Amino acid sequence: MKENQYKYILLVADNSLILAQRLGELCGHGPNLETDIALTNISLDLFGQVRSYYQYAAKLMGNNATEDSIAFLRKEHEYRNVLLVEQPNTDFAYTIVRQFLFDMYHLLFLQELQKSKDLTLSAIAAKSVKEVSYHRRFSSDWIKRLGDGTEESNRRVQNAVDDLWVYTDELFHQTEDDIAMVKEGIGVDVTKLKNTYYEQVKSILEEAAIAIPETAYFQKGGKHGIHTEHLGYLLNDMQFMQRTYPNMEW
Amino acid sequence: MSEKEIKSLEAEFEARIARDEKIEPKDWMPEKYRQTHIRQISQHAHSEIVGMLPEGNWITRAPSLRRKVALLAKVQDEAGHGLYLYSACETLGISRDELYEQLHTGKAKYSSIFNYPTLTWADMGAIGWLVDGAAIINQVPLCNTSYGPYARAMIRVCKEESFHQRQGYEIMIKLANGTPEQKAMAQDALNRWWWPSLMMFGPTDAESVHTEQSMKWKLKRKTNDELRQQFVDQTVPQAELIGLTIPDPDLKWNAERKSYDFGEIDWNEFWQVVKGHGPCNKERMKARVGAWERGEWVRDAAIAYAEKQQRAALSS
C-alpha cells in the first residue's frame, strides 16, 4: 500500500514541480513587471505545495529520503508529471495556455483531494485550493484578454491552444497507483473530473473567441514516465548542482 | 513668474528641507530638484530590474528546494522594488514607458555591479552578502531623504534588503563550513565580487560630481568614501568569522583611525564597466530589451481588451 501511496504522491506533486520549474525560467523576463511578479507568485505557490508533498512522501519512504532527493535525484523516467506541464515557454501565449489548461484541472482535482482519507493529503489540498483558485483566475483572465485583445494575440493563443490541446486528455488517465488509491479512499478518481473540465474550459475559450480544436488524437505517457524531449533539458538544469556536487548540503 | 518670486519660492523650499520636512509630488520644487530625483530614482529602479538577471540566472539551477524558493522570492522582491521605485518616479511627471525607453537606449544608467557574471552557486551568497550589504549602506540614509514618495519606498526596500543580506551571508556560512570544494567555491565568489562591491559606492569624493548638491537635498548624508569605509569595516570581520580571506594584500587594521586601511581600487575597470564595456553589459541590455519587445503584443492586447470592456460597459 505504501509503495502505491508514495508513487501516487509523485503523480500529484511532480506536476507542480515541473510547472513551477518552467515558470521559474521566466522570472525577470516577463512582458511587464506586474505579470512577472504574478507568474513568480504562481511558481512559488507550486514549489510550496511540492515541498509539503515531498516531505510527506520522504517520511513514507524512509531510507533517508528527503524532499531534495525526491526532487533532484530521480532519473527522467521516474518523474510522473503529465506531458502538458513540461512543455516549453515558447511565448507568453503558450505559457498562459499551458497554465490555464493545468489550473482548470488542478482546482477540480484539489477540491476532490480535500476529501481524501489521508489527512496529510487533504490538509495540503485544503491549503492549495486557495492558491490555485487564484492561479485559475489569473490564467483564465489572461485567456480572455489575449483571446479578445488584438488579432495577433488571438492568433497566438489559438496556436498555443491548438498545440497544447493534445496534452489535456492525459490529465484524466489512471495508473495502477491511481486505481489502488481511489479504492482506499485516498486518491481522486480523475476520470470523473473529465466532463466538468472540458465544459469549463470550452466555455472560457468560447468567451475568449478561441476555437476548440477538433482532434481525436491525444498524447500520453508522462504518468508512466515516458516524456517528451523537453523534460531531459529541464532536468539537466534542475539537477545540475546535485549531480555535479553529490552528497553535499547547501 | 518673476525671477524674484522664483527666488522666494526657492528660499522657502530650501528652508523646508533644512527643517526636515518632506517634499510631496504636488508641492512646488525647483526644476533641478525634479530632474535630479528622476535621474536618481529611475537609476535605482533600473538597477532593481537589471539586478534580477544575474540572480535569475541561478533559479533553475538552485541546489535545493528551500534555496530555490528563497532565491525566487528574492528576485521577485527586486521586481517589487522596481515597481515601487518606478511609481515614486512617476509622481515627478514622467511615465514608466519613458523611463524604460531611457534604460533601453542607454541614456539612463543602472548599477554597474550587475554587469558582472554569476558563475557559480556561491555567487548567490556573495551577491546577497556583499552587493545587498553595500546597497543597504547606500540606501538606509535615503529612508530620511527629502522627497516623500522616495523616502517611503526606501523604508520598505531597506527592510527587504536587510533580509536578503542575511540570506546571502547564510549561503556563504553554509559553503564555508562545507566540503573543501564548497569552501573554495565561496572563496572564489568573494574574490570576484569584493572589488566590484567596493566600486558600488561610486568614484572617490574628489571625483564625484553630484555629491555637494545631493548632500544639500538629503539625497546623500555621507560621502562615497565614508560609506565605502563603513562597508569595509563592517564586512572584514564577517569574512574572518567564516574563515574567508578578503582578496586585498593591503588590507590592515589601522589602530589610530580605528578602521581598516585598504588597497587602491582599479578605477580603470570601474570606468570601463560604467561606460558599457563590462563583462555582461551587452547581455543584460539584450535581455531587458528582448523581454520588452517580446512583451509588446501582450501589453497591446491588454490595452485593446480593456478598451473593449470599457466601451461595452458604457453602452450597456
Side-chain angles (χ1 to χ4, degrees):
Chain A
M1 204 276 273
K2 265 197 176 167
E3 180 69 16
N4 286 136
Q5 199 177 354
Y6 171 77
K7 283 192 182 159
Y8 183 73
I9 297 171
L10 299 186
L11 209 51
V12 175
D14 286 355
N15 286 336
S16 297
L17 174 72
I18 301 302
L19 185 55
Q21 174 77 6
R22 273 285 181 241
L23 293 172
E25 294 169 9
L26 294 171
C27 183
H29 305 276
N32 63 16
L33 278 174
E34 288 81 351
T35 36
D36 205 303
I37 291 170
L39 287 174
T40 304
N41 253 339
I42 295 175
S43 176
L44 282 167
D45 286 343
L46 293 172
F47 276 125
Q49 296 165 16
V50 167
R51 294 188 68 190
S52 307
Y53 286 126
Y54 286 173
Q55 283 164 10
Y56 181 45
K59 215 165 76 184
L60 288 176
M61 190 62 171
N63 267 340
N64 298 324
T66 63
E67 57 173 23
D68 289 328
S69 68
I70 298 176
F72 296 101
L73 294 176
R74 279 180 286 155
K75 302 285 190 301
E76 179 177 338
H77 69 269
E78 292 167 316
Y79 287 84
R80 305 297 214 83
N81 59 283
V82 291
L83 302 179
L84 174 67
V85 295
E86 70 199 43
Q87 298 311 304
N89 297 311
T90 308
D91 68 5
F92 188 72
Y94 277 79
T95 300
I96 288 296
V97 170
R98 182 186 63 208
Q99 193 64 40
F100 167 70
L101 293 175
F102 182 70
D103 291 343
M104 297 297 285
Y105 159 82
H106 200 192
L107 187 63
L108 292 173
F109 175 83
L110 290 171
Q111 282 166 343
E112 291 304 310
L113 190 65
Q114 287 186 97
K115 301 172 196 158
S116 171
K117 276 191 192 157
D118 181 322
L119 296 181
T120 308
L121 289 183
S122 79
I124 298 172
K127 173 186 162 270
S128 309
V129 153
K130 292 178 201 142
E131 297 167 346
V132 174
S133 314
Y134 164 76
H135 304 172
R136 199 185 103 140
R137 201 172 71 211
F138 174 84
S139 59
S140 36
D141 282 354
W142 269 106
I143 290 286
K144 292 179 207 165
R145 222 172 264 143
L146 298 177
D148 194 18
T150 61
E151 243 170 71
E152 181 180 6
S153 66
N154 177 279
R155 176 176 57 76
R156 285 178 183 262
V157 171
Q158 185 69 60
N159 279 345
V161 169
D162 290 348
D163 279 356
L164 295 174
W165 193 256
V166 297
Y167 300 112
T168 53
D169 191 61
E170 191 192 7
L171 292 163
F172 310 101
H173 291 198
Q174 286 185 312
T175 66
E176 272 175 32
D177 306 306
D178 266 293
I179 295 166
M181 286 301 103
V182 171
K183 219 177 253 170
E184 297 284 340
I186 291 175
V188 174
D189 184 349
V190 287
T191 59
K192 289 189 179 152
L193 306 176
K194 191 169 173 175
N195 287 342
T196 316
Y197 174 82
Y198 281 111
E199 272 167 33
Q200 292 181 347
V201 164
K202 285 177 183 173
S203 136
I204 290 173
L205 290 179
E206 274 162 19
E207 199 185 326
I210 296 296
I212 314 295
E214 286 178 27
T215 175
Y217 303 102
F218 291 94
Q219 299 298 322
K220 60 177 195 286
K223 287 186 175 182
H224 292 96
I226 300 164
H227 291 277
T228 59
E229 289 177 348
H230 304 295
L231 187 67
Y233 296 98
L234 179 147
L235 295 180
N236 210 19
D237 269 1
M238 193 172 78
Q239 300 184 336
F240 168 66
M241 290 296 291
Q242 292 276 344
R243 298 286 185 205
T244 313
Y245 304 95
N247 305 316
M248 296 185 200
E249 280 182 39
W250 303 95
Chain B
M1 218 180 292
S2 74
E3 207 160 299
K4 199 173 149 200
E5 280 168 323
I6 291 178
K7 281 271 176 265
S8 111
L9 280 170
E10 274 176 3
E12 171 55 18
F13 179 85
E14 299 295 346
R16 286 184 66 192
I17 290 184
R19 290 195 299 270
D20 262 336
E21 281 177 34
K22 290 279 177 269
I23 307 301
E24 295 301 335
K26 288 185 177 157
D27 297 348
W28 183 87
M29 61 186 79
E31 192 48 29
K32 191 162 177 229
Y33 180 91
R34 184 188 304 277
Q35 291 308 330
T36 301
H37 278 75
I38 288 176
R39 184 176 58 80
Q40 176 159 338
I41 301 171
S42 67
Q43 193 169 316
H44 189 168
H46 298 327
S47 301
E48 296 284 356
I49 61 161
V50 178
M52 294 170 76
L53 299 170
E55 289 175 288
N57 183 35
W58 279 87
I59 289 170
T60 59
R61 292 178 293 169
S64 69
L65 288 176
R66 176 173 162 258
R67 292 293 183 199
K68 193 189 284 283
V69 166
L71 182 61
L72 250 179
K74 185 196 170 185
V75 180
Q76 186 192 36
D77 281 349
E78 286 158 9
H81 298 170
L83 206 52
Y84 339 131
L85 289 163
Y86 283 123
S87 305
C89 203
E90 284 180 305
T91 65
L92 291 161
I94 187 162
S95 70
R96 217 204 286 181
D97 283 4
E98 288 172 273
L99 294 169
Y100 278 149
E101 174 75 18
Q102 293 179 354
L103 173 67
H104 296 159
T105 56
K107 187 179 166 221
K109 296 260 178 284
Y110 57 89
S111 180
S112 274
I113 193 82
F114 301 118
N115 292 315
Y116 288 87
T118 51
L119 304 177
T120 71
W121 170 252
D123 290 9
M124 299 303 100
I127 290 181
W129 173 34
L130 303 173
V131 175
D132 293 325
I136 294 166
I137 290 179
N138 269 329
Q139 292 170 6
V140 163
L142 294 172
C143 298
N144 294 313
T145 191
S146 61
Y147 189 55
Y150 191 29
R152 289 187 289 272
M154 288 316 298
I155 289 171
R156 199 158 154 189
V157 170
C158 283
K159 276 187 194 153
E160 294 180 347
E161 291 294 357
S162 74
F163 182 73
H164 297 165
Q165 200 257 351
R166 283 202 299 273
Q167 192 173 291
Y169 189 54
E170 201 251 330
I171 290 176
M172 294 306 265
I173 293 175
K174 193 84 185 173
L175 294 173
N177 292 318
T179 63
E181 227 175 341
Q182 284 173 307
K183 191 165 180 180
M185 193 191 278
Q187 182 63 52
D188 162 69
L190 173 57
N191 294 349
R192 283 182 290 109
W193 290 94
W194 173 254
W195 292 104
S197 299
L198 293 191
M199 294 177 198
M200 284 177 70
F201 298 94
T204 58
D205 296 348
E207 304 250 346
S208 176
V209 285
H210 300 298
T211 297
E212 198 191 332
Q213 181 67 77
S214 293
M215 294 282 248
K216 206 163 110 194
W217 287 337
K218 299 178 179 171
L219 259 173
K220 257 189 184 176
R221 302 244 165 175
K222 287 182 183 170
T223 69
N224 294 354
D225 287 333
E226 285 168 341
L227 293 169
R228 189 166 12 244
Q229 183 70 56
Q230 188 184 332
F231 175 75
V232 172
D233 291 345
Q234 166 188 310
T235 311
V236 173
Q238 292 171 350
E240 281 170 0
L241 193 67
I242 56 176
L244 296 180
T245 310
I246 303 280
D248 177 359
D250 297 325
L251 184 82
K252 62 173 185 295
W253 178 250
N254 180 327
E256 208 173 299
R257 290 199 305 121
K258 290 195 170 34
S259 260
Y260 284 92
D261 292 334
F262 54 95
E264 180 72 16
I265 289 171
D266 180 351
W267 293 109
N268 283 334
E269 178 181 321
F270 174 81
W271 290 114
Q272 179 179 343
V273 184
V274 169
K275 288 179 180 161
H277 306 286
C280 298
N281 295 59
K282 287 204 174 69
E283 282 94 329
R284 300 294 183 241
M285 254 327 95
K286 212 171 136 191
R288 283 312 326 153
V289 172
W292 187 246
E293 286 175 352
R294 280 191 303 278
E296 191 179 0
W297 68 268
V298 179
R299 298 188 301 274
D300 289 348
I303 292 168
Y305 179 76
E307 284 170 356
K308 282 185 200 174
Q309 294 294 102
Q310 222 164 25
R311 275 200 300 274
L314 283 175
S315 64
S316 66

